[in-house]
Amino acid sequence: MKHFLLLFLFSISLQAQFHISGIVKESGSNKTLPFATISTNNGINSISDVDGKFEINSKTTIVSFTVSYIGYNKIKVEVQKNKLFFNLKLTPKTDRLNEIIISNENTALSIIKKTIALKNNNDPQKRLSNFAFKNYNKLIVSANPDSISGQIDSVFVRKYKQGALYKINSTNYKFKNTVSKRHLFQTEKVSQHQFSNNQLKETILGTKMAGLKQPLYEIIAFNLQSFSIYDPKYELFETKYNSPIADDAVKEYNYKLLDTVAINGRSSYMIYFKNKKKSKAKGLEGVLYIDQNNFAVSKAIMRIRGLLNISGTHEFEYLPEENIWFPVHKTFQIIKGHNDDDINIFGGTIQFDGDIEQDFKSRKKQPSDYIYLRSENHIFDIQKNKNTPIENPYFTVEINKNAFDKDESFWEQYRKDSIDIRFKKTYSELDSIAIKKKFANRLFFGKKIINGYLPIGFFDLDLRKIFSYNNYEGFRLGLGGVTNERLSKNFRVEGYYAYGTKDGIFKGSIGAAAKINQQANSWLGFSYTDDIREIASTSFSIEKKPYKIYDPRPINISTFYNYISWKSYFETKLIPKTESIWEIAQAEIQPKFNYAFNPKNQLYTHYTMTTAMVSLQWSPFSDFMQTPTGQIEIEKRFPKFSFQYTQSLGRVLNNDFDFSKFDFKTEYEKKYLNGQKTSLLFQAGYALGDVPLTHLYNTSPNNITKETIIQRITFGGKNSFETMFFNEFFSNKYSLFQIKHAFNRVTLFKKVKPSLVLVSRMAWGDLDNPEEHLGLNFKTLNRGYFESGIELNQIFNGLGLTTFFRYGPNQLAKFEDNIAIKLSYVLNLGF
């Protein structure tokens, strides 16, 4: 989602009728003074940024302004005609001290500690039992045309003996002409927010996006910045940082008292904070305005500097009855950062000027250098302590059915500023362009492709069904897919047909389903399947497999069973934060390898299984959105839990065995600000009763039986045991644990940027009555299984190399037999 918004970037220049800018420095050392206070004659208050730079936009003429900085003499500057940039220098006061010491703590630190101690008393979400308000949001992607040169240039293309060839470049001219007439993109939204029982819910009353008849849900749900400044983790552009007023913040941040200012007639301290880290991932920095009386935050400016400069501003209104500050205005903006590397997004390149030596000439400015993104929120109609119940509180965001159909009169009553001609033209022109270029169709096509489908009219061709390979079928060629919403939003037909070049057998599936509940996205369906499946494999029916061009693990699998099944199912999201599938199936099973099952001295070489199954995935910590067309997980949080229970149905429909199966999986993922990531996986299963080998557990092996290490080199899997041989272990009860830690990619050469991942896996299991399973020689996991390895992924063009070592009680006698070397391949689609 973040990559989507990165298309709309950079260099912020705010339009206004009157504009001044400048830089504030210390007179003696010429050092810049970050976050100096600038106050104009017409009541505008601003501060310089971390580089001492400032800019002020005003609808009325600025006659003069003052600049102040704690420990320095205040100056007043008269604005002269035709002078819009000011290089200002402040002189230190003669009695200035580098630090003001109180009880061995500097003043800023003392203020911050009081703020942290009293934050529960000042946080509206802790002080007020419930509240509600409305919010108007406007997001614009644009550029200031006055900053862009409209000159038509000539570009050097090639040198010949007779001279050089130049080509006319009118990019800047065309871009300036475009942004002079309209913005590049814009969207508006009006929402009702309700807070109760420690939960904040947003109900979208109206929303529209330029160029899109139906706005993108992904953009609507995108969280640019935290609502509350008091959250322990402050979120800015989908990244969470430790808050400067978190309980442990003083260990992570340095603080400095800059000044004292008046906000809403109340005096506030200006506290500058900066992360102590010296690495590239510097984290948050900014300014907190702390009320001198109750030590509440009365204003906050949060900022990140890097490839992008991102900032969020929070403004508050003082509520005297409650003695708290309540948020009333938020802004978010992206400006272009400084870095030597260009970045590639969706096939396009965004270039960056880094810290370039004086001997080198900076590249010529491109249109993307001037683009900015700005989002603004105005909060109004605040209602406190009115105990109005929240409908469907388990949804973080809910969109009204008629939110996309609001007329201009609706928007006029909520817009806080008068709109200019560019704003008006953006809707009409982008809507016209979208129709002409069939943008809706392209968007529809792109979403399908990302999920592994090629839309052809009313049918989505499943790209996963076209080609695959395994040791039993050889090359598997096929066609399959499902009807899409262009045929019907409430009915679907799906199926596939495939042929194996090695086994010479056709196989396939056909099914249909009807939607019976729109809000819960509930479907009732049935299907018939005649296909093969890997023996003892564990799959959770509810889990949606991500689309991959290839799946490497099945390449080496030789042991499959054929199943002919009839199935009826019900899938739904009716249970809050849960997806589930309820299924009844009858299947004829025929092992395609030498195997017989002999429970209670009754031999089976093929058998019938009639089962009922429920499979569900619970995401209690994720945020969900209710849309007019269903539910969407808008923020994935961990841990997530998957459960599956399968029960045979006595002697119904000639069922041969009585058994029960319980399967469980949980995943956890933690991303760090420095780009590293830790992933944890725990999985377990327990089968009771008479269960044939085909439906037991093999804990996902991925090693072939060959003599040498070189002969065993194949492709690695995602969560498979790379040193465990196929059909080496079987269990009716097992548990496994995996931990992965991925480091940042390291640049060795221009095109060689490997990603290092450390992996450890372990499993335990056992098998009741192993003598009942005839035909295969195998072991059990009662002594445990352990392997660790290193993945060096994406060494060159997505290709990587991994090495794993097997150790512990099941270590093999020959040292080389415990080593597995695998190839890996990561295909970067740019999404």
Side-chain angles (χ1 to χ4, degrees):
M1 184 57 222
K2 186 185 294 186
H3 286 170
F4 186 91
L5 284 178
L6 282 172
L7 292 172
F8 310 126
L9 298 177
F10 301 105
S11 199
I12 190 90
S13 293
L14 302 181
Q15 279 197 305
Q17 294 177 1
F18 198 87
H19 174 89
I20 61 171
S21 61
I23 188 168
V24 184
K25 299 180 179 179
E26 185 183 67
S27 59
S29 64
N30 213 35
K31 290 182 179 179
T32 58
L33 296 177
F35 302 110
T37 303
I38 296 98
S39 302
T40 69
N41 66 290
N42 54 358
I44 298 176
N45 293 311
S46 183
I47 58 173
S48 62
D49 64 15
V50 290
D51 298 316
K53 298 176 183 178
F54 69 90
E55 57 179 271
I56 298 175
N57 301 275
S58 173
K59 294 180 180 180
T60 58
T61 303
I62 299 175
V63 178
S64 64
F65 62 93
T66 59
V67 182
S68 61
Y69 199 83
I70 194 166
Y72 291 79
N73 293 306
K74 181 188 295 186
I75 62 171
K76 182 176 182 180
V77 181
E78 301 292 334
V79 178
Q80 301 173 1
K81 189 177 180 180
N82 298 326
K83 183 178 181 182
L84 301 178
F85 184 85
F86 300 86
N87 192 346
L88 307 173
K89 295 186 178 182
L90 302 185
T91 57
K93 292 180 180 178
T94 55
D95 57 348
R96 178 171 67 91
L97 297 176
N98 290 329
E99 296 283 6
I100 303 172
I101 305 298
I102 299 177
S103 301
N104 296 323
E105 293 181 333
N106 69 55
T107 309
L109 191 58
S110 176
I111 294 168
I112 288 296
K113 286 185 175 181
K114 289 181 181 178
T115 302
I116 294 172
L118 295 172
K119 65 181 180 180
N120 285 346
N121 195 50
N122 291 317
D123 183 357
Q125 292 175 281
K126 297 291 178 64
R127 278 287 303 279
L128 303 175
S129 60
N130 54 77
F131 57 79
F133 61 85
K134 287 183 180 178
N135 178 65
Y136 168 76
N137 170 261
K138 179 173 66 176
L139 183 147
I140 291 176
V141 180
S142 191
N144 184 356
D146 295 336
S147 302
I148 305 166
S149 170
Q151 181 178 350
I152 298 178
D153 300 320
S154 57
V155 181
F156 174 78
V157 179
R158 196 178 291 111
K159 191 172 183 180
Y160 294 93
K161 290 182 180 179
Q162 295 82 1
L165 174 65
Y166 290 87
K167 185 179 179 181
I168 297 298
N169 180 13
S170 59
T171 304
N172 277 15
Y173 171 79
K174 291 179 180 179
F175 183 70
K176 181 182 177 74
N177 189 46
T178 297
V179 297
S180 296
K181 296 178 181 178
R182 62 169 173 83
H183 301 302
L184 302 177
F185 178 77
Q186 69 189 29
T187 178
E188 293 177 279
K189 180 175 69 172
V190 175
S191 303
Q192 172 77 39
H193 294 254
Q194 295 171 280
F195 175 80
S196 182
N197 296 323
N198 203 33
Q199 182 172 353
L200 183 66
K201 179 184 176 180
E202 176 185 7
T203 302
I204 297 175
L205 307 177
T207 181
K208 68 175 181 175
M209 294 180 187
L212 294 170
K213 185 177 181 180
Q214 179 170 309
L216 288 171
Y217 297 133
E218 293 83 358
I219 293 182
I220 294 174
F222 191 69
N223 190 24
L224 296 173
Q225 63 190 124
S226 289
F227 166 74
S228 175
I229 200 69
Y230 292 99
D231 289 342
K233 295 293 183 181
Y234 180 81
E235 185 170 2
L236 204 58
F237 203 44
E238 268 196 337
T239 303
K240 293 186 177 181
Y241 304 85
N242 203 35
S243 168
I245 53 173
D247 291 340
D248 59 347
V250 294
K251 298 178 182 178
E252 189 168 334
Y253 291 94
N254 288 319
Y255 303 90
K256 183 178 180 181
L257 178 63
L258 298 179
D259 209 340
T260 58
V261 295
I263 300 178
N264 285 6
R266 295 173 63 89
S267 295
S268 293
Y269 300 109
M270 280 181 65
I271 306 291
Y272 168 62
F273 66 89
K274 186 176 183 180
N275 199 284
K276 294 178 180 179
K277 293 179 181 178
K278 301 295 184 182
S279 62
K280 289 183 179 180
K282 295 177 181 179
L284 280 178
E285 62 181 318
V287 176
L288 295 175
Y289 295 73
I290 308 296
D291 188 301
Q292 292 186 12
N293 183 36
N294 61 5
F295 291 91
V297 178
S298 56
K299 185 177 178 180
I301 298 171
M302 321 292 273
R303 184 169 176 176
I304 311 163
R305 294 169 46 122
L307 280 179
L308 304 175
N309 286 346
I310 305 169
S311 64
T313 301
H314 298 253
E315 297 180 63
F316 302 81
E317 178 183 317
Y318 180 68
L319 306 180
E321 290 183 8
E322 291 79 10
N323 190 30
I324 60 172
W325 291 80
F326 197 89
V328 292
H329 187 225
K330 291 196 305 178
T331 59
F332 171 90
Q333 58 190 30
I334 299 178
I335 40 180
K336 187 181 144 183
H338 295 279
N339 192 281
D340 292 329
D341 297 325
D342 297 345
I343 60 175
N344 296 309
I345 300 171
F346 289 162
T349 301
I350 298 171
Q351 297 175 309
F352 292 91
D353 288 328
D355 298 325
I356 303 172
E357 299 289 342
Q358 292 183 356
D359 295 339
F360 293 87
K361 186 177 181 180
S362 176
R363 67 172 177 82
K364 189 175 182 65
K365 293 286 185 181
Q366 303 297 318
S368 62
D369 294 308
Y370 302 101
I371 302 175
Y372 66 82
L373 181 150
R374 180 179 174 87
S375 173
E376 195 164 357
N377 291 275
H378 294 275
I379 293 172
F380 57 99
D381 286 355
I382 301 170
Q383 299 177 359
K384 300 161 292 182
N385 297 323
K386 288 189 176 181
N387 195 16
T388 304
I390 301 177
E391 295 183 7
N392 302 325
Y394 36 84
F395 293 119
T396 305
V397 182
E398 187 167 0
I399 304 177
N400 281 356
K401 289 183 179 180
N402 60 349
F404 306 136
D405 303 320
K406 300 300 183 183
D407 57 23
E408 191 63 20
S409 62
F410 172 86
W411 296 105
E412 287 296 337
Q413 63 179 315
Y414 291 114
R415 286 171 179 152
K416 298 303 175 182
D417 301 314
S418 59
I419 59 175
D420 59 16
I421 190 65
R422 287 208 301 164
F423 191 89
K424 291 180 179 179
K425 281 192 173 182
T426 303
Y427 281 123
S428 59
E429 291 196 15
L430 285 186
D431 288 348
S432 177
I433 291 172
I435 293 172
K436 183 178 179 180
K437 295 190 175 183
K438 299 180 179 179
F439 183 71
N441 290 341
R442 294 183 180 185
L443 194 61
F444 175 83
F445 182 86
K447 283 185 173 183
K448 297 290 185 179
I449 289 292
I450 291 173
N451 291 311
Y453 292 93
L454 176 64
I456 303 174
F458 60 82
F459 187 77
D460 292 343
L461 183 69
D462 192 340
L463 300 176
R464 282 164 285 214
K465 301 296 183 183
I466 296 175
F467 174 84
S468 62
Y469 180 87
N470 62 67
N471 258 349
Y472 176 76
E473 293 178 286
F475 291 101
R476 178 178 168 125
L477 309 175
L479 286 174
V482 58
T483 58
N484 57 44
E485 52 269 41
R486 289 179 174 174
L487 178 68
S488 173
K489 294 181 179 180
N490 299 312
F491 182 78
R492 71 188 183 208
V493 178
E494 55 192 328
Y496 64 86
Y497 201 59
Y499 175 77
T501 58
K502 190 174 180 180
D503 67 345
I505 296 176
F506 288 94
K507 61 273 294 181
S509 177
I510 186 69
K515 183 179 287 188
I516 59 175
N517 186 296
Q518 182 77 23
Q519 295 294 98
N521 199 28
S522 300
W523 293 78
L524 183 64
F526 70 92
S527 67
Y528 169 80
T529 303
D530 183 353
D531 205 345
I532 63 169
R533 184 176 294 165
E534 177 192 359
I535 67 169
S537 59
T538 303
S539 62
F540 291 81
S541 296
I542 194 60
E543 292 184 344
K544 299 176 180 63
K545 294 182 180 180
Y547 170 55
K548 294 187 289 186
I549 294 292
Y550 80 106
D551 187 5
R553 186 178 168 274
I555 290 175
N556 302 303
I557 301 174
S558 301
T559 46
F560 290 84
Y561 65 89
N562 176 246
Y563 67 101
I564 301 174
S565 72
W566 290 91
K567 178 176 69 176
S568 61
Y569 64 90
F570 172 64
E571 61 181 55
T572 184
K573 297 180 181 179
L574 189 61
I575 305 171
K577 299 195 173 186
T578 304
E579 298 180 57
S580 61
I581 294 179
W582 307 73
E583 173 185 300
I584 294 178
Q586 194 266 349
E588 300 288 337
I589 309 297
Q590 175 66 60
K592 293 298 183 180
F593 59 101
N594 182 28
Y595 173 70
F597 185 35
N598 189 31
K600 301 178 180 63
N601 294 318
Q602 186 173 357
L603 197 66
Y604 293 88
T605 56
H606 63 277
Y607 33 87
T608 301
M609 304 178 76
T610 307
T611 58
M613 183 268 291
V614 56
S615 181
L616 60 88
Q617 185 175 79
W618 182 40
S619 306
F621 305 103
S622 294
D623 286 341
F624 289 83
M625 170 192 281
Q626 177 69 66
T627 76
T629 58
Q631 300 174 20
I632 299 174
E633 185 178 11
I634 55 176
E635 182 169 356
K636 184 185 293 184
R637 294 197 186 101
F638 295 91
K640 300 170 79 74
F641 304 94
S642 298
F643 304 88
Q644 190 161 286
Y645 170 58
T646 307
Q647 177 64 54
S648 65
L649 299 179
R651 296 300 169 182
V652 176
L653 298 176
N654 300 316
N655 177 52
D656 285 319
F657 310 123
D658 292 324
F659 67 89
S660 305
K661 287 185 71 175
F662 304 86
D663 295 289
F664 171 77
K665 181 168 76 170
T666 182
E667 298 174 274
Y668 179 79
E669 184 177 289
K670 181 175 176 60
K671 295 181 180 179
Y672 303 92
L673 294 180
N674 58 10
Q676 299 183 39
K677 182 174 74 172
T678 299
S679 303
L680 305 177
L681 169 68
F682 175 77
Q683 189 169 313
Y686 193 10
L688 296 167
D690 296 330
V691 186
L693 192 72
T694 51
H695 290 70
L696 291 176
Y697 304 108
N698 63 11
T699 60
S700 194
N702 193 31
N703 203 9
I704 57 176
T705 307
K706 296 289 184 179
E707 192 67 28
T708 66
I709 296 176
I710 301 300
Q711 290 175 316
R712 293 196 298 270
I713 293 179
T714 56
F715 280 95
K718 182 182 178 182
N719 297 321
S720 53
F721 283 84
E722 303 300 333
T723 60
M724 184 185 292
F725 294 97
F726 288 104
N727 304 327
E728 185 179 4
F729 298 94
F730 290 98
S731 309
N732 74 301
K733 45 195 168 189
Y734 82 101
S735 62
L736 66 83
F737 178 73
Q738 172 185 275
I739 179 170
K740 285 186 177 184
H741 184 81
F743 295 88
N744 268 333
R745 297 185 69 176
V746 179
T747 302
L748 300 180
F749 303 100
K750 186 174 182 179
K751 292 188 177 181
V752 180
K753 301 178 180 181
S755 170
L756 175 65
V757 183
L758 301 181
V759 186
S760 282
R761 299 185 181 100
M762 55 206 74
W764 295 267
D766 206 349
L767 178 62
D768 299 331
N769 305 315
E771 69 280 357
E772 295 179 347
H773 305 279
L774 310 177
L776 281 179
N777 295 319
F778 59 85
K779 297 179 285 186
T780 63
L781 287 168
N782 58 317
R783 296 191 300 160
Y785 190 95
F786 304 87
E787 73 172 21
S788 294
I790 298 175
E791 297 180 357
L792 207 58
N793 298 320
Q794 303 182 74
I795 297 174
F796 183 74
N797 287 341
L799 194 66
L801 194 66
T802 71
T803 303
F804 283 84
F805 183 71
R806 172 175 175 163
Y807 56 94
N810 276 296
Q811 188 174 33
L812 301 175
K814 288 185 179 180
F815 177 79
E816 58 269 23
D817 288 343
N818 297 291
I819 299 174
I821 298 175
K822 302 292 177 69
L823 300 174
S824 67
Y825 186 74
V826 177
L827 180 64
N828 185 4
L829 294 175
F831 302 114

